[in-house]
């Protein structure tokens, strides 16, 4: 029975102190990536995949340094994009406002790239057992979790992931996908978790 273990990681914390939109990791983000790398060291991955944004590239570089010999690939399909042109009707106002901020081209291109990622990663391999690591962004992790659970399409909204949190999905030729781990941050101390949330939300 063939199976794919898909390890999904949201990139480390972005450096907001830098100017410009495509910025790299903050010092906290680099430390998050280093601790993730230590946890994943020695895992027999077939490949590491990452999106083209600097924060994803830099996270992948740190992690890949702990995985010598594992090929690393950059792909637009696992980049930072809108996964689904979700109908805002019936959604909370803040979600509707959020969705309204996406321009028309991204409403077309984002779902297309997401479909490519699903076709590439969200299936069992033809044969054997495969482990792959995808370093991506919050939206795609949420979409792939929603997809694996066969949840309504709008449920990618509200699935929020820690920077360098670890989610694992298993795709098997013998049955439906399994959610093995979700947003696991056992490798991060409390002060490096829940990036972007108020201190009283951190745990």
């Amino acid at each position: 029975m063939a199976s794919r273990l898909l390890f999904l990681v949201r990139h480390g914390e972005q450096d907001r102190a830098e100017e410009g939109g495509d910025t790299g990791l903050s010092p906290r983000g680099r430390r998050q990536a280093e601790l993730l790398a230590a946890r994943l060291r020695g895992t027999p991955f077939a490949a590491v995949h990452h999106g083209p944004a600097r924060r994803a590239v830099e996270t992948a570089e740190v992690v890949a340094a702990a995985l010598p010999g594992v090929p690393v690939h950059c792909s637009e399909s696992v980049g930072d994009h809108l996964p689904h042109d979700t109908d805002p009707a019936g959604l909370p106002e803040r979600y509707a406002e959020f969705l309204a901020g996406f321009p028309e081209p991204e409403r077309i291109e984002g779902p297309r790239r997401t479909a490519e990622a699903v076709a590439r990663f969200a299936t069992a391999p033809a044969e054997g057992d495969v482990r792959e690591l995808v370093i991506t962004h919050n939206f795609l992790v949420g979409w792939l979790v929603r997809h694996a659970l066969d949840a309504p399409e709008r449920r990618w909204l509200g699935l929020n992931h820690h920077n360098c949190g670890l989610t694992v999905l298993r795709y098997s030729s013998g049955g439906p996908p399994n959610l093995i781990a979700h947003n696991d941050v056992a490798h991060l101390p409390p002060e490096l978790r829940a990036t972007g949330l108020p201190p009283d939300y951190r745990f």
Side-chain angles (χ1 to χ4, degrees):
M1 182 171 62
S3 68
R4 182 190 310 280
L5 275 179
L6 185 65
F7 290 67
L8 298 168
V9 171
R10 183 184 181 185
H11 59 80
E13 181 188 77
Q14 186 174 3
D15 191 349
R16 303 292 183 181
E18 290 188 46
E19 295 188 8
D22 186 16
T23 60
L25 297 178
S26 68
R28 279 169 49 88
R30 182 161 291 276
R31 183 58 182 151
Q32 290 165 341
E34 290 168 350
L35 291 169
L36 174 67
R39 180 170 182 181
L40 296 178
R41 188 183 308 276
T43 304
F45 290 116
V48 175
H49 306 267
H50 64 82
R54 274 184 60 193
R55 57 196 182 277
V57 172
E58 292 180 7
T59 303
E61 288 173 346
V62 173
V63 174
L67 300 167
V70 177
V72 180
H73 307 287
C74 181
S75 171
E76 290 280 358
S77 69
V78 295
D80 189 13
H81 45 71
L82 179 71
H84 183 259
D85 189 12
T86 305
D87 184 351
L91 290 175
E93 183 178 352
R94 66 187 184 93
Y95 285 163
E97 292 175 351
F98 168 73
L99 291 168
F102 287 91
E104 184 65 24
E106 187 155 358
R107 294 175 183 277
I108 297 170
E109 185 65 11
R112 184 188 68 78
R113 289 179 176 172
T114 300
E116 290 177 352
V118 168
R120 167 62 180 81
F121 296 107
T123 60
E127 59 182 21
D129 296 319
V130 176
R131 288 181 176 87
E132 291 184 285
L133 173 62
V134 175
I135 296 173
T136 181
H137 301 264
N138 186 56
F139 292 171
L140 185 61
V141 178
W143 182 263
L144 288 170
V145 169
R146 180 222 66 80
H147 180 270
L149 297 177
D150 199 22
E153 291 174 329
R154 63 175 52 197
R155 286 305 293 127
W156 70 271
L157 289 159
L159 289 174
N160 298 308
H161 300 88
H162 295 279
N163 292 104
C164 286
L166 185 63
T167 292
V168 183
L169 297 169
R170 181 176 184 268
Y171 300 93
S172 168
S173 58
N178 300 123
L179 179 61
I180 304 297
H182 182 240
N183 209 14
D184 181 351
V185 288
H187 50 286
L188 300 179
E191 64 271 16
L192 291 181
R193 301 177 187 177
T195 310
L197 292 178
D200 57 341
Y201 277 76
R202 297 180 183 174
F203 55 89

